[in-house]
Amino acid sequence: QVQLAESGGGSVQAGGSLRLSCVASGHTYRSDCMGWFRQAPGKEREGVAHITKAGSTNYADSVKGRFTVSKDNAKNILYLQMDSLKPEDSGMYYCAADTASLVSCWSPRYTYGYWGQGTQVTVSS
């Protein structure tokens, strides 16, 4: 099992920044893939950013150039630096982790098995 705990959410005005953190504990060797997802009220959950254990990253088009995902492997902490925030970035943000598979971490066919409880991000205009 992998336990994930997010923090760093909050309320910010458009154009501002936030840094989310996700601490992984337990069987962290199973965290070959780690990702950030978000879900706004009434909308489906969407992938925001992913990172592999080797450090390869992938971003949703809507956040490219504004968000940066990174990972401290020694401390088992996943980060999401969010800059130039927009109201449409608002939602509950979740981190996720799981082992590698035959498809890439950001493939629609990849399934994350471990999830955190989420942290709320609210961006006002």
Side-chain angles (χ1 to χ4, degrees):
Q1 292 290 329
V2 178
Q3 292 79 45
L4 302 169
E6 305 95 335
S7 63
S11 297
V12 65
Q13 289 191 328
S17 297
L18 283 174
R19 188 195 196 200
L20 305 184
S21 298
C22 172
V23 178
S25 59
H27 297 168
T28 57
Y29 62 87
R30 295 181 177 178
S31 302
D32 298 312
C33 292
M34 295 195 79
W36 287 100
F37 292 77
R38 67 187 180 189
Q39 187 167 21
K43 294 188 177 181
E44 292 187 357
R45 186 177 62 196
E46 63 172 340
V48 174
H50 307 265
I51 187 167
T52 67
K53 183 163 286 186
S56 297
T57 59
N58 180 272
Y59 298 91
D61 288 342
S62 59
V63 306
K64 282 181 181 177
R66 300 187 299 120
F67 289 13
T68 303
V69 61
S70 61
K71 185 180 176 186
D72 185 329
N73 285 322
K75 297 181 179 179
N76 293 313
I77 302 177
L78 178 71
Y79 300 102
L80 184 67
Q81 178 66 41
M82 305 187 295
D83 299 317
S84 302
L85 283 162
K86 304 175 180 180
E88 51 263 43
D89 294 319
S90 298
M92 187 69 78
Y93 280 69
Y94 302 90
C95 72
D98 214 321
T99 55
S101 74
L102 296 178
V103 299
S104 68
C105 302
W106 44 83
S107 168
R109 292 180 291 159
Y110 181 83
T111 302
Y112 283 92
Y114 304 105
W115 294 83
Q117 293 299 309
T119 185
Q120 180 69 38
V121 171
T122 303
V123 184
S124 59
S125 58

Short mmCIF file of all heavy atoms in Angstrom, two decimals, residues 34-85:
data_model
loop_
_atom_site.label_atom_id
_atom_site.label_comp_id
_atom_site.label_asym_id
_atom_site.label_seq_id
_atom_site.Cartn_x
_atom_site.Cartn_y
_atom_site.Cartn_z
N MET A 34 3.70 8.95 -10.78
CA MET A 34 2.97 9.82 -9.86
C MET A 34 2.33 10.93 -10.67
O MET A 34 2.89 11.39 -11.67
CB MET A 34 3.88 10.41 -8.80
CG MET A 34 4.46 9.36 -7.86
SD MET A 34 5.20 10.05 -6.37
CE MET A 34 3.71 10.38 -5.39
N GLY A 35 1.16 11.33 -10.24
CA GLY A 35 0.45 12.33 -11.02
C GLY A 35 -0.42 13.22 -10.17
O GLY A 35 -0.73 12.91 -9.01
N TRP A 36 -0.78 14.34 -10.75
CA TRP A 36 -1.74 15.27 -10.16
C TRP A 36 -2.98 15.28 -11.02
O TRP A 36 -2.90 15.37 -12.24
CB TRP A 36 -1.16 16.67 -10.07
CG TRP A 36 -0.12 16.85 -9.03
CD1 TRP A 36 1.23 16.86 -9.19
CD2 TRP A 36 -0.34 17.06 -7.63
NE1 TRP A 36 1.87 17.04 -8.00
CE2 TRP A 36 0.92 17.17 -7.01
CE3 TRP A 36 -1.48 17.14 -6.82
CZ2 TRP A 36 1.07 17.38 -5.64
CZ3 TRP A 36 -1.33 17.35 -5.47
CH2 TRP A 36 -0.07 17.46 -4.88
N PHE A 37 -4.11 15.20 -10.37
CA PHE A 37 -5.40 15.27 -11.03
C PHE A 37 -6.22 16.37 -10.36
O PHE A 37 -5.94 16.76 -9.23
CB PHE A 37 -6.14 13.93 -10.91
CG PHE A 37 -5.52 12.81 -11.69
CD1 PHE A 37 -4.38 12.18 -11.22
CD2 PHE A 37 -6.07 12.40 -12.88
CE1 PHE A 37 -3.79 11.14 -11.94
CE2 PHE A 37 -5.50 11.35 -13.62
CZ PHE A 37 -4.36 10.73 -13.13
N ARG A 38 -7.24 16.84 -11.05
CA ARG A 38 -8.13 17.82 -10.45
C ARG A 38 -9.57 17.54 -10.89
O ARG A 38 -9.81 16.97 -11.93
CB ARG A 38 -7.74 19.25 -10.81
CG ARG A 38 -7.90 19.61 -12.28
CD ARG A 38 -7.32 20.98 -12.55
NE ARG A 38 -7.46 21.37 -13.95
CZ ARG A 38 -6.88 22.44 -14.48
NH1 ARG A 38 -6.11 23.23 -13.73
NH2 ARG A 38 -7.05 22.73 -15.77
N GLN A 39 -10.48 17.98 -10.05
CA GLN A 39 -11.90 17.82 -10.37
C GLN A 39 -12.65 19.03 -9.87
O GLN A 39 -12.60 19.36 -8.68
CB GLN A 39 -12.46 16.55 -9.74
CG GLN A 39 -13.88 16.25 -10.18
CD GLN A 39 -14.32 14.85 -9.82
OE1 GLN A 39 -13.77 14.22 -8.93
NE2 GLN A 39 -15.32 14.35 -10.52
N ALA A 40 -13.33 19.68 -10.80
CA ALA A 40 -14.18 20.81 -10.46
C ALA A 40 -15.60 20.31 -10.29
O ALA A 40 -15.98 19.28 -10.85
CB ALA A 40 -14.10 21.86 -11.56
N PRO A 41 -16.42 21.04 -9.52
CA PRO A 41 -17.81 20.61 -9.33
C PRO A 41 -18.52 20.43 -10.66
O PRO A 41 -18.47 21.30 -11.54
CB PRO A 41 -18.41 21.77 -8.52
CG PRO A 41 -17.25 22.35 -7.80
CD PRO A 41 -16.09 22.24 -8.75
N GLY A 42 -19.18 19.30 -10.82
CA GLY A 42 -19.94 19.04 -12.02
C GLY A 42 -19.12 18.61 -13.22
O GLY A 42 -19.66 18.42 -14.31
N LYS A 43 -17.82 18.46 -13.02
CA LYS A 43 -16.94 18.08 -14.13
C LYS A 43 -16.24 16.78 -13.80
O LYS A 43 -16.11 16.38 -12.65
CB LYS A 43 -15.92 19.18 -14.42
CG LYS A 43 -16.53 20.47 -14.94
CD LYS A 43 -15.45 21.44 -15.38
CE LYS A 43 -16.05 22.70 -15.97
NZ LYS A 43 -15.00 23.65 -16.42
N GLU A 44 -15.76 16.13 -14.85
CA GLU A 44 -15.01 14.89 -14.66
C GLU A 44 -13.60 15.21 -14.17
O GLU A 44 -13.05 16.28 -14.42
CB GLU A 44 -14.93 14.11 -15.97
CG GLU A 44 -16.27 13.55 -16.43
CD GLU A 44 -16.12 12.66 -17.64
OE1 GLU A 44 -15.00 12.52 -18.16
OE2 GLU A 44 -17.15 12.09 -18.07
N ARG A 45 -13.04 14.24 -13.48
CA ARG A 45 -11.66 14.38 -13.04
C ARG A 45 -10.75 14.36 -14.26
O ARG A 45 -10.95 13.60 -15.20
CB ARG A 45 -11.30 13.23 -12.10
CG ARG A 45 -9.95 13.31 -11.46
CD ARG A 45 -9.74 12.16 -10.51
NE ARG A 45 -9.80 10.88 -11.19
CZ ARG A 45 -9.95 9.71 -10.55
NH1 ARG A 45 -10.07 9.70 -9.24
NH2 ARG A 45 -9.97 8.60 -11.23
N GLU A 46 -9.73 15.22 -14.23
CA GLU A 46 -8.80 15.29 -15.35
C GLU A 46 -7.36 15.24 -14.86
O GLU A 46 -7.04 15.75 -13.78
CB GLU A 46 -9.02 16.57 -16.17
CG GLU A 46 -8.77 17.85 -15.41
CD GLU A 46 -8.81 19.09 -16.29
OE1 GLU A 46 -8.65 18.95 -17.53
OE2 GLU A 46 -8.99 20.19 -15.74
N GLY A 47 -6.52 14.63 -15.66
CA GLY A 47 -5.11 14.59 -15.34
C GLY A 47 -4.47 15.93 -15.62
O GLY A 47 -4.75 16.55 -16.64
N VAL A 48 -3.64 16.39 -14.73
CA VAL A 48 -2.99 17.69 -14.84
C VAL A 48 -1.51 17.52 -15.21
O VAL A 48 -1.01 18.15 -16.14
CB VAL A 48 -3.13 18.48 -13.53
CG1 VAL A 48 -2.33 19.78 -13.60
CG2 VAL A 48 -4.59 18.75 -13.22
N ALA A 49 -0.82 16.69 -14.46
CA ALA A 49 0.62 16.50 -14.70
C ALA A 49 1.02 15.13 -14.16
O ALA A 49 0.45 14.65 -13.19
CB ALA A 49 1.43 17.59 -14.02
N HIS A 50 2.05 14.56 -14.83
CA HIS A 50 2.54 13.26 -14.42
C HIS A 50 4.06 13.28 -14.41
O HIS A 50 4.68 14.02 -15.18
CB HIS A 50 2.07 12.16 -15.39
CG HIS A 50 0.60 12.14 -15.61
ND1 HIS A 50 -0.25 11.31 -14.91
CD2 HIS A 50 -0.19 12.85 -16.46
CE1 HIS A 50 -1.49 11.51 -15.32
NE2 HIS A 50 -1.49 12.44 -16.26
N ILE A 51 4.64 12.43 -13.59
CA ILE A 51 6.09 12.32 -13.56
C ILE A 51 6.46 10.87 -13.26
O ILE A 51 5.82 10.21 -12.43
CB ILE A 51 6.71 13.28 -12.52
CG1 ILE A 51 8.23 13.28 -12.61
CG2 ILE A 51 6.24 12.95 -11.10
CD1 ILE A 51 8.88 14.43 -11.83
N THR A 52 7.48 10.40 -13.96
CA THR A 52 7.94 9.04 -13.73
C THR A 52 9.07 9.06 -12.70
O THR A 52 9.60 10.12 -12.36
CB THR A 52 8.46 8.41 -15.02
OG1 THR A 52 9.66 9.10 -15.42
CG2 THR A 52 7.43 8.51 -16.13
N LYS A 53 9.43 7.89 -12.24
CA LYS A 53 10.53 7.80 -11.28
C LYS A 53 11.83 8.33 -11.90
O LYS A 53 12.67 8.89 -11.20
CB LYS A 53 10.70 6.36 -10.82
CG LYS A 53 11.79 6.15 -9.77
CD LYS A 53 11.64 4.81 -9.06
CE LYS A 53 10.50 4.82 -8.10
NZ LYS A 53 10.41 3.59 -7.29
N ALA A 54 11.95 8.19 -13.20
CA ALA A 54 13.15 8.68 -13.89
C ALA A 54 13.10 10.18 -14.14
O ALA A 54 14.10 10.76 -14.56
CB ALA A 54 13.33 7.94 -15.21
N GLY A 55 11.95 10.79 -13.91
CA GLY A 55 11.85 12.24 -14.05
C GLY A 55 11.19 12.73 -15.32
O GLY A 55 11.11 13.94 -15.54
N SER A 56 10.71 11.83 -16.15
CA SER A 56 9.98 12.27 -17.34
C SER A 56 8.63 12.85 -16.93
O SER A 56 7.99 12.34 -16.01
CB SER A 56 9.76 11.09 -18.29
OG SER A 56 10.98 10.59 -18.76
N THR A 57 8.25 13.92 -17.61
CA THR A 57 7.02 14.61 -17.22
C THR A 57 6.06 14.75 -18.40
O THR A 57 6.46 14.69 -19.56
CB THR A 57 7.31 16.01 -16.66
OG1 THR A 57 8.00 16.78 -17.66
CG2 THR A 57 8.16 15.93 -15.41
N ASN A 58 4.82 14.97 -18.07
CA ASN A 58 3.78 15.20 -19.07
C ASN A 58 2.73 16.09 -18.47
O ASN A 58 2.41 15.96 -17.27
CB ASN A 58 3.18 13.86 -19.51
CG ASN A 58 2.09 14.03 -20.56
OD1 ASN A 58 0.93 14.21 -20.22
ND2 ASN A 58 2.48 13.97 -21.82
N TYR A 59 2.22 17.04 -19.27
CA TYR A 59 1.25 18.01 -18.78
C TYR A 59 0.01 18.06 -19.67
O TYR A 59 0.09 17.86 -20.88
CB TYR A 59 1.87 19.41 -18.75
CG TYR A 59 3.05 19.54 -17.83
CD1 TYR A 59 4.34 19.32 -18.28
CD2 TYR A 59 2.87 19.89 -16.49
CE1 TYR A 59 5.42 19.43 -17.43
CE2 TYR A 59 3.96 20.02 -15.63
CZ TYR A 59 5.22 19.77 -16.11
OH TYR A 59 6.29 19.90 -15.27
N ALA A 60 -1.09 18.39 -19.06
CA ALA A 60 -2.29 18.68 -19.83
C ALA A 60 -2.04 19.97 -20.59
O ALA A 60 -1.34 20.87 -20.11
CB ALA A 60 -3.50 18.83 -18.90
N ASP A 61 -2.62 20.06 -21.78
CA ASP A 61 -2.42 21.25 -22.60
C ASP A 61 -2.83 22.53 -21.86
O ASP A 61 -2.22 23.58 -22.03
CB ASP A 61 -3.21 21.14 -23.90
CG ASP A 61 -2.61 20.11 -24.86
OD1 ASP A 61 -1.43 19.75 -24.68
OD2 ASP A 61 -3.32 19.68 -25.77
N SER A 62 -3.85 22.43 -21.04
CA SER A 62 -4.40 23.61 -20.36
C SER A 62 -3.45 24.19 -19.31
O SER A 62 -3.64 25.33 -18.88
CB SER A 62 -5.73 23.26 -19.70
OG SER A 62 -5.55 22.22 -18.76
N VAL A 63 -2.44 23.44 -18.91
CA VAL A 63 -1.53 23.93 -17.86
C VAL A 63 -0.09 24.04 -18.33
O VAL A 63 0.77 24.50 -17.57
CB VAL A 63 -1.59 23.04 -16.60
CG1 VAL A 63 -3.03 22.90 -16.12
CG2 VAL A 63 -0.95 21.68 -16.83
N LYS A 64 0.19 23.64 -19.55
CA LYS A 64 1.56 23.71 -20.06
C LYS A 64 2.09 25.13 -20.00
O LYS A 64 1.40 26.08 -20.36
CB LYS A 64 1.62 23.20 -21.50
CG LYS A 64 1.59 21.69 -21.63
CD LYS A 64 1.67 21.26 -23.08
CE LYS A 64 1.63 19.75 -23.21
NZ LYS A 64 1.63 19.32 -24.63
N GLY A 65 3.31 25.27 -19.51
CA GLY A 65 3.92 26.58 -19.40
C GLY A 65 3.56 27.32 -18.12
O GLY A 65 4.16 28.36 -17.80
N ARG A 66 2.59 26.81 -17.39
CA ARG A 66 2.18 27.47 -16.13
C ARG A 66 2.42 26.58 -14.91
O ARG A 66 2.70 27.08 -13.82
CB ARG A 66 0.69 27.83 -16.20
CG ARG A 66 0.32 28.78 -17.31
CD ARG A 66 -1.13 29.24 -17.21
NE ARG A 66 -2.08 28.13 -17.30
CZ ARG A 66 -2.95 27.82 -16.35
NH1 ARG A 66 -2.98 28.53 -15.22
NH2 ARG A 66 -3.80 26.82 -16.51
N PHE A 67 2.30 25.29 -15.07
CA PHE A 67 2.47 24.34 -13.96
C PHE A 67 3.75 23.55 -14.15
O PHE A 67 4.15 23.25 -15.28
CB PHE A 67 1.30 23.35 -13.90
CG PHE A 67 -0.02 23.93 -13.45
CD1 PHE A 67 -0.22 25.31 -13.36
CD2 PHE A 67 -1.07 23.09 -13.12
CE1 PHE A 67 -1.44 25.83 -12.95
CE2 PHE A 67 -2.29 23.59 -12.71
CZ PHE A 67 -2.48 24.97 -12.63
N THR A 68 4.37 23.22 -13.04
CA THR A 68 5.58 22.40 -13.07
C THR A 68 5.47 21.29 -12.03
O THR A 68 5.27 21.58 -10.84
CB THR A 68 6.83 23.24 -12.79
OG1 THR A 68 6.91 24.30 -13.73
CG2 THR A 68 8.09 22.37 -12.90
N VAL A 69 5.62 20.06 -12.47
CA VAL A 69 5.59 18.93 -11.55
C VAL A 69 7.03 18.51 -11.26
O VAL A 69 7.88 18.51 -12.15
CB VAL A 69 4.77 17.75 -12.12
CG1 VAL A 69 5.35 17.22 -13.42
CG2 VAL A 69 4.62 16.64 -11.08
N SER A 70 7.30 18.19 -10.02
CA SER A 70 8.63 17.74 -9.64
C SER A 70 8.51 16.76 -8.48
O SER A 70 7.45 16.62 -7.88
CB SER A 70 9.53 18.92 -9.26
OG SER A 70 8.99 19.60 -8.15
N LYS A 71 9.62 16.10 -8.20
CA LYS A 71 9.57 15.08 -7.16
C LYS A 71 10.90 15.02 -6.43
O LYS A 71 11.95 15.11 -7.07
CB LYS A 71 9.27 13.72 -7.80
CG LYS A 71 9.08 12.58 -6.83
CD LYS A 71 8.78 11.30 -7.61
CE LYS A 71 8.69 10.10 -6.68
NZ LYS A 71 8.56 8.84 -7.40
N ASP A 72 10.84 14.92 -5.13
CA ASP A 72 12.01 14.69 -4.30
C ASP A 72 12.01 13.21 -3.96
O ASP A 72 11.27 12.78 -3.06
CB ASP A 72 11.94 15.56 -3.05
CG ASP A 72 13.20 15.46 -2.20
OD1 ASP A 72 13.84 14.38 -2.21
OD2 ASP A 72 13.53 16.44 -1.53
N ASN A 73 12.79 12.44 -4.69
CA ASN A 73 12.77 10.99 -4.49
C ASN A 73 13.29 10.59 -3.12
O ASN A 73 12.84 9.60 -2.55
CB ASN A 73 13.59 10.30 -5.58
CG ASN A 73 12.88 10.28 -6.92
OD1 ASN A 73 11.67 10.10 -6.99
ND2 ASN A 73 13.63 10.49 -7.99
N ALA A 74 14.22 11.35 -2.60
CA ALA A 74 14.79 11.01 -1.29
C ALA A 74 13.76 11.17 -0.18
O ALA A 74 13.74 10.40 0.79
CB ALA A 74 16.00 11.88 -1.00
N LYS A 75 12.90 12.18 -0.32
CA LYS A 75 11.90 12.45 0.71
C LYS A 75 10.52 11.91 0.34
O LYS A 75 9.59 12.02 1.13
CB LYS A 75 11.80 13.96 0.96
CG LYS A 75 13.08 14.58 1.50
CD LYS A 75 12.89 16.07 1.75
CE LYS A 75 14.15 16.69 2.32
NZ LYS A 75 13.99 18.16 2.54
N ASN A 76 10.41 11.36 -0.86
CA ASN A 76 9.12 10.83 -1.34
C ASN A 76 8.04 11.91 -1.31
O ASN A 76 6.92 11.68 -0.80
CB ASN A 76 8.69 9.62 -0.51
CG ASN A 76 9.60 8.43 -0.72
OD1 ASN A 76 9.94 8.08 -1.85
ND2 ASN A 76 10.05 7.82 0.37
N ILE A 77 8.36 13.07 -1.83
CA ILE A 77 7.40 14.16 -1.91
C ILE A 77 7.22 14.57 -3.37
O ILE A 77 8.20 14.79 -4.08
CB ILE A 77 7.85 15.38 -1.09
CG1 ILE A 77 8.06 15.00 0.38
CG2 ILE A 77 6.81 16.49 -1.19
CD1 ILE A 77 8.58 16.14 1.24
N LEU A 78 5.99 14.68 -3.77
CA LEU A 78 5.62 15.14 -5.10
C LEU A 78 5.15 16.58 -4.98
O LEU A 78 4.42 16.92 -4.04
CB LEU A 78 4.50 14.27 -5.66
CG LEU A 78 3.94 14.62 -7.04
CD1 LEU A 78 4.97 14.30 -8.12
CD2 LEU A 78 2.65 13.87 -7.29
N TYR A 79 5.55 17.42 -5.93
CA TYR A 79 5.17 18.83 -5.91
C TYR A 79 4.44 19.21 -7.19
O TYR A 79 4.63 18.60 -8.24
CB TYR A 79 6.41 19.73 -5.78
CG TYR A 79 7.22 19.51 -4.53
CD1 TYR A 79 8.41 18.78 -4.58
CD2 TYR A 79 6.82 20.03 -3.32
CE1 TYR A 79 9.16 18.59 -3.44
CE2 TYR A 79 7.57 19.85 -2.17
CZ TYR A 79 8.74 19.12 -2.24
OH TYR A 79 9.48 18.93 -1.10
N LEU A 80 3.64 20.24 -7.07
CA LEU A 80 3.04 20.86 -8.25
C LEU A 80 3.11 22.37 -8.04
O LEU A 80 2.39 22.92 -7.20
CB LEU A 80 1.60 20.41 -8.47
CG LEU A 80 0.96 20.96 -9.75
CD1 LEU A 80 1.64 20.34 -10.98
CD2 LEU A 80 -0.55 20.65 -9.78
N GLN A 81 4.00 23.01 -8.76
CA GLN A 81 4.10 24.47 -8.73
C GLN A 81 3.13 25.02 -9.75
O GLN A 81 3.22 24.69 -10.94
CB GLN A 81 5.53 24.92 -9.05
CG GLN A 81 5.71 26.42 -9.10
CD GLN A 81 5.52 27.08 -7.75
OE1 GLN A 81 5.96 26.57 -6.73
NE2 GLN A 81 4.84 28.22 -7.75
N MET A 82 2.22 25.85 -9.29
CA MET A 82 1.18 26.39 -10.17
C MET A 82 1.32 27.90 -10.22
O MET A 82 1.17 28.58 -9.20
CB MET A 82 -0.21 26.00 -9.65
CG MET A 82 -0.39 24.49 -9.46
SD MET A 82 -2.08 24.03 -9.04
CE MET A 82 -2.25 24.81 -7.43
N ASP A 83 1.64 28.41 -11.38
CA ASP A 83 1.81 29.85 -11.60
C ASP A 83 0.77 30.36 -12.58
O ASP A 83 0.15 29.58 -13.30
CB ASP A 83 3.21 30.14 -12.13
CG ASP A 83 4.30 29.71 -11.16
OD1 ASP A 83 4.16 29.96 -9.95
OD2 ASP A 83 5.31 29.13 -11.61
N SER A 84 0.61 31.66 -12.59
CA SER A 84 -0.36 32.29 -13.51
C SER A 84 -1.72 31.60 -13.43
O SER A 84 -2.33 31.26 -14.45
CB SER A 84 0.17 32.25 -14.95
OG SER A 84 1.42 32.90 -15.04
N LEU A 85 -2.18 31.41 -12.23
CA LEU A 85 -3.42 30.67 -12.03
C LEU A 85 -4.62 31.40 -12.62
O LEU A 85 -4.67 32.64 -12.62
CB LEU A 85 -3.64 30.41 -10.55
CG LEU A 85 -2.79 29.27 -9.97
CD1 LEU A 85 -2.72 29.35 -8.46
CD2 LEU A 85 -3.35 27.93 -10.41
#
